[in-house]
């Protein structure tokens, strides 16, 4: 079973930057959509950003202009560059990979990485 592994979370001051990475624990062929979600305490899971295998990206309104999602298809790895961080960005960030390679649609999630932005 593929497990996604996130890294790069931590504590940062308001206005700072972090770069999250997410890679599979074992071989993963041809991921389609790679995405980042986040969940703050007491709030619902929120889609932050996603990127297709063709490089098309989407962002939530709350992070547009501050966050950039990218991917390295060779690994495959998905990144989230977070700039100008705000306290409301504090959450556990999860990556999700969707693939339909040689079978029905499957989703693989990571266990999350904590991001805390201090004011």
């Amino acid at each position: 079973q593929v497990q996604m592994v996130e890294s790069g979370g931590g504590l940062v001051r308001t206005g700072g930057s972090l770069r999250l990475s997410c890679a599979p624990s074992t071989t993963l062929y041809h991921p389609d959509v790679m995405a980042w979600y986040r969940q703050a305490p007491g709030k619902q899971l929120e889609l932050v950003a996603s990127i297709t295998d063709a490089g098309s990206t989407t962002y939530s309104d709350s992070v547009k202009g501050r966050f950039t999602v990218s991917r390295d298809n060779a690994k495959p790895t998905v990144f989230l560059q977070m700039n100008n961080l705000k306290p409301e960005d504090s959450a556990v960030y999860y990556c999700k990979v969707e693939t339909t390679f040689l079978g029905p649609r499957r989703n693989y999630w990571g266990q999350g990485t904590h991001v805390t932005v201090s004011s």
Side-chain angles (χ1 to χ4, degrees):
Q1 179 73 356
V2 176
Q3 176 74 44
M4 302 304 296
V5 181
E6 301 101 338
S7 62
L11 173 65
V12 65
R13 292 182 181 272
T14 296
S17 298
L18 284 173
R19 180 176 170 86
L20 306 183
S21 301
C22 180
S25 59
T26 186
T27 303
L28 176 63
Y29 295 104
H30 300 291
D32 300 322
V33 180
M34 305 181 82
W36 288 95
Y37 290 74
R38 68 185 180 187
Q39 188 166 31
K43 295 194 175 180
Q44 290 188 330
L45 194 65
E46 173 191 17
L47 173 61
V48 176
S50 66
I51 183 166
T52 69
D53 54 355
S56 179
T57 58
T58 60
Y59 297 93
S60 68
D61 288 342
S62 61
V63 307
K64 269 180 192 172
R66 300 187 298 122
F67 290 11
T68 303
V69 63
S70 61
R71 61 192 278 171
D72 179 347
N73 288 325
K75 304 239 175 165
T77 303
V78 61
F79 305 96
L80 187 67
Q81 178 66 43
M82 305 186 293
N83 297 328
N84 191 21
L85 282 159
K86 305 175 181 180
E88 51 265 42
D89 294 318
S90 297
V92 179
Y93 283 71
Y94 301 91
C95 75
K96 187 189 83 170
V97 172
E98 177 184 296
T99 181
T100 55
F101 184 68
L102 296 181
R105 187 184 310 276
R106 281 108 54 210
N107 292 321
Y108 300 111
W109 289 86
Q111 295 195 333
T113 185
H114 289 260
V115 171
T116 303
V117 184
S118 63
S119 57

